Amino acid sequence: MSGRSKRESRGSTRGKRESESRGSSGRVKRERDRERETEAPSSRGSPVRVKREVEPVSAREAPTPVVPAVRVKREREADEDSEPEREVRAKNGRVDSEDRRSRHCPYLDTINRSVLDFDFEKLCSISLSHINAYACLVCGKYFQGRGLKSHAYIHSVQFSHHVFLNLHTLKFYCLPDNYEIIDSSLEDITYVLKPTFTKQQIANLDKQAKLSRAYDGTTYLPGIVGLNNIKANDYANAVLQALSNVPPLRNYFLEEDNYKNIKRPPGDIMFLLVQRFGELMRKLWNPRNFKAHVSPHEMLQAVVLCSKKTFQITKQGDGVDFLSWFLNALHSALGGTKKKKKTIVTDVFQGSMRIFTKKLPHPDLPAEEKEQLLHNDEYQETMVESTFMYLTLDLPTAPLYKDEKEQLIIPQVPLFNILAKFNGITEKEYKTYKENFLKRFQLTKLPPYLIFCIKRFTKNNFFVEKNPTIVNFPITGQASGMNYKTSR
């Protein structure tokens, strides 16, 4: 058959179908009008019957526009529902491929744990910025960023050091490929950087004395750890080590949740002292350290900043002055006040006493005038209630002459003898530039932990002299104590 005859036959068939459809649609219309005329308009069943009669004819002979619209709408809804699924699948595909690479990093054997030291300030060694600081786990240096042209990226390309740790998010990355490393063998590094303690571990610290082994093989007892003397900060190290062995204070700072939500005014730098002291406390009691000593570098940097350079690393200071400032600064940074609001510092160390003061007449005055002045109100004894964080004890004067064997006698004195200063009876004269006072002290409330500061250094017109008198502490029986002294 030729192409022309085929087209004609198709055209005739199409025309025949169109005429049949028009005829059927006309017949359906006439039947619908006849039904409406014969039945009442209020009938509810007729539209349904008409629809049931009409639907097969219309579905068989003429396509209605309603069905395609519903089908298109359903297809669109299905597409909309499937788009997130496709995104999730694609996302999961990316995660799976990256996770496979993250868990099989070929550079983990290049990590050198013996050079890792997280005690120093988290600053980039090139830009000196603390933003986005990363530690190279191969050489131990700090660098900034991990993007293209960043210091960490350039270091990884230049020296082929590929494993880095974000010092803030505690995530590991491989550079320059820039993918996150997920491996359980790296948990010991994150624990050294940021040790954490559970309540059960804190409760068991004093119940078990178990030696720990550092990465270099040395053994140490957690809590009894040496602090590095950077230059001349041994006076501060003595105070920090003594405070780290006070159980209530230690337990409070080992758990960061106790103080991390304390609200401070904007721009307040004193809270940095609390954060650094908590970090140092957790490092001193860390049973999984890489080394058997700790460097208090960040803690001392906070001390220099918060004290406005009153206490420095490069200059020797007085341990008693540092202890007094540090306890009061901690109390203030934790939100405490002088009278009403208390903190862990006052709960542990603060006691109260009564101070009785009586003014004395000038010693050069005649005896009669002295007696007259003693009857005046100005020279009557007054009493003041006062709080204290520590007690200053005075030592008896050391002997000036040598004994018969040409050796200086080193005197010894019991602790209770020098504590008689606070029995409320013993009086001591205090001289000022113009006036003399007679004072006696009476303790009214003792804190759970009492700090003694033994005054060994006296300054005369020529030099500072140290009193070598030995104080005997009771080891068994009524009390026990801890004595530390600093040298100049």
Side-chain angles (χ1 to χ4, degrees):
M1 182 182 293
S2 63
R4 183 177 180 180
S5 60
K6 289 181 180 180
R7 286 193 298 271
E8 289 176 356
S9 62
R10 284 198 298 269
S12 61
T13 304
R14 189 184 302 111
K16 184 178 180 180
R17 289 177 180 175
E18 290 177 355
S19 62
E20 289 177 356
S21 64
R22 284 195 298 270
S24 60
S25 61
R27 186 170 59 255
V28 170
K29 185 176 182 182
R30 287 193 298 272
E31 290 178 358
R32 186 180 300 168
D33 294 339
R34 195 180 298 114
E35 292 285 345
R36 289 177 180 176
E37 291 174 0
T38 56
E39 295 183 1
S42 61
S43 175
R44 295 182 180 180
S46 59
V48 178
R49 186 171 63 253
V50 170
K51 187 176 181 181
R52 288 176 181 174
E53 293 175 355
V54 172
E55 277 180 356
V57 178
S58 61
R60 184 177 63 253
E61 297 180 357
T64 58
V66 178
V67 177
V70 174
R71 186 169 61 248
V72 170
K73 184 177 180 181
R74 289 177 179 173
E75 291 177 355
R76 187 182 298 115
E77 290 177 353
D79 292 340
E80 290 175 355
D81 294 339
S82 62
E83 283 179 2
E85 295 178 1
R86 286 199 298 268
E87 291 178 2
V88 170
R89 285 197 298 270
K91 187 177 180 180
N92 288 340
R94 289 195 299 271
V95 170
D96 292 341
S97 62
E98 186 173 342
D99 184 70
R100 196 178 304 111
R101 182 172 56 171
S102 300
R103 295 182 184 275
H104 296 84
C105 181
Y107 303 109
L108 293 184
D109 57 345
T110 62
I111 297 176
N112 188 3
R113 286 173 170 81
S114 61
V115 300
L116 298 183
D117 189 358
F118 301 119
D119 294 340
F120 294 97
E121 202 168 358
K122 310 301 186 295
L123 296 177
C124 175
S125 58
I126 298 176
S127 64
L128 300 180
S129 172
H130 65 278
I131 302 174
N132 292 332
Y134 288 80
C136 175
L137 301 185
V138 182
C139 63
K141 296 179 181 179
Y142 296 167
F143 299 97
Q144 184 182 16
R146 72 172 194 273
L148 193 64
K149 296 182 181 180
S150 64
H151 298 300
Y153 184 93
I154 296 173
H155 176 77
S156 67
V157 174
Q158 185 175 2
F159 296 96
S160 297
H161 294 175
H162 302 289
V163 187
F164 290 81
L165 168 63
N166 189 308
L167 297 173
H168 300 285
T169 63
L170 307 183
K171 293 183 178 181
F172 297 88
Y173 294 93
C174 181
L175 298 181
D177 296 339
N178 199 10
Y179 62 86
E180 184 180 354
I181 302 173
I182 303 172
D183 198 290
S184 59
S185 65
L186 303 175
E187 292 180 357
D188 60 333
I189 299 177
T190 57
Y191 193 84
V192 170
L193 174 59
K194 191 174 182 180
T196 55
F197 292 84
T198 62
K199 293 184 178 180
Q200 185 64 29
Q201 290 174 336
I202 295 174
N204 294 332
L205 285 178
D206 296 326
K207 297 179 181 178
Q208 55 184 5
K210 184 179 179 181
L211 290 174
S212 299
R213 186 175 296 276
Y215 183 76
D216 56 359
T218 58
T219 58
Y220 67 95
L221 187 64
I224 314 298
V225 179
L227 288 176
N228 289 342
N229 188 10
I230 300 174
K231 190 169 183 181
N233 57 288
D234 52 343
Y235 71 97
N237 289 356
V239 174
L240 295 174
Q241 282 185 320
L243 294 178
S244 67
N245 283 275
V246 179
L249 190 71
R250 174 201 65 193
N251 297 347
Y252 180 86
F253 281 97
L254 285 181
E255 193 171 355
E256 192 177 2
D257 294 338
N258 292 329
Y259 57 85
K260 70 177 182 180
N261 295 324
I262 295 177
K263 294 182 180 180
R264 300 296 299 172
D268 181 31
I269 62 172
M270 296 303 293
F271 194 71
L272 182 66
L273 204 66
V274 177
Q275 294 175 329
R276 294 291 180 261
F277 185 63
E279 293 173 3
L280 178 64
M281 198 76 73
R282 289 189 288 273
K283 289 179 180 179
L284 287 173
W285 287 91
N286 182 10
R288 295 159 57 182
N289 265 330
F290 285 168
K291 54 187 185 303
H293 58 88
V294 176
S295 177
H297 190 271
E298 286 185 296
M299 178 73 240
L300 296 175
Q301 289 284 356
V303 167
V304 173
L305 179 64
C306 297
S307 68
K308 298 180 180 179
K309 297 184 179 180
T310 303
F311 303 99
Q312 300 185 19
I313 303 174
T314 59
K315 187 179 179 181
Q316 192 67 249
D318 185 79
V320 178
D321 294 341
F322 174 72
L323 173 68
S324 177
W325 172 85
F326 186 71
L327 291 180
N328 286 284
L330 273 185
H331 173 66
S332 176
L334 290 171
T337 57
K338 289 185 177 180
K339 294 183 178 180
K340 294 183 178 180
K341 196 170 183 181
K342 295 185 176 182
T343 61
I344 184 65
V345 179
T346 55
D347 292 340
V348 175
F349 297 117
Q350 190 179 71
S352 61
M353 68 169 68
R354 293 173 182 170
I355 304 176
F356 298 90
T357 306
K358 183 167 59 174
K359 185 178 179 181
L360 297 176
H362 197 276
D364 296 337
L365 294 176
E368 295 179 357
E369 191 173 349
K370 288 183 182 179
E371 291 181 1
Q372 292 179 357
L373 291 175
L374 291 176
H375 294 289
N376 296 342
D377 294 339
E378 184 183 358
Y379 291 89
Q380 300 302 315
E381 188 177 62
T382 58
M383 188 269 291
V384 177
E385 292 278 352
S386 178
T387 58
F388 64 90
M389 290 285 188
Y390 60 91
L391 297 178
T392 304
L393 304 181
D394 301 320
L395 293 175
T397 307
L400 298 177
Y401 303 102
K402 297 181 180 181
D403 61 356
E404 56 187 13
K405 296 182 180 180
E406 295 297 324
Q407 293 179 353
L408 282 175
I409 300 174
I410 300 178
Q412 299 186 14
V413 58
L415 176 64
F416 297 107
N417 288 8
I418 58 178
L419 277 175
K421 172 184 176 181
F422 300 97
N423 59 9
I425 302 174
T426 305
E427 294 181 334
K428 186 177 179 181
E429 186 175 351
Y430 292 86
K431 297 181 180 180
T432 61
Y433 180 70
K434 292 183 178 180
E435 300 171 337
N436 297 340
F437 294 92
L438 198 64
K439 291 185 178 183
R440 58 188 178 94
F441 307 93
Q442 182 182 8
L443 298 178
T444 57
K445 180 185 175 182
L446 288 176
Y449 290 84
L450 186 60
I451 302 177
F452 297 143
C453 294
I454 301 174
K455 193 174 180 181
R456 292 187 176 274
F457 297 96
T458 55
K459 186 177 182 180
N460 52 33
N461 296 331
F462 303 100
F463 56 90
V464 176
E465 185 180 5
K466 180 180 178 180
N467 192 330
T469 302
I470 298 174
V471 179
N472 293 326
F473 284 80
I475 299 176
T476 59
Q478 298 177 353
S480 62
M482 177 174 53
N483 182 21
Y484 70 90
K485 51 188 177 180
T486 58
S487 58
R488 292 182 179 178

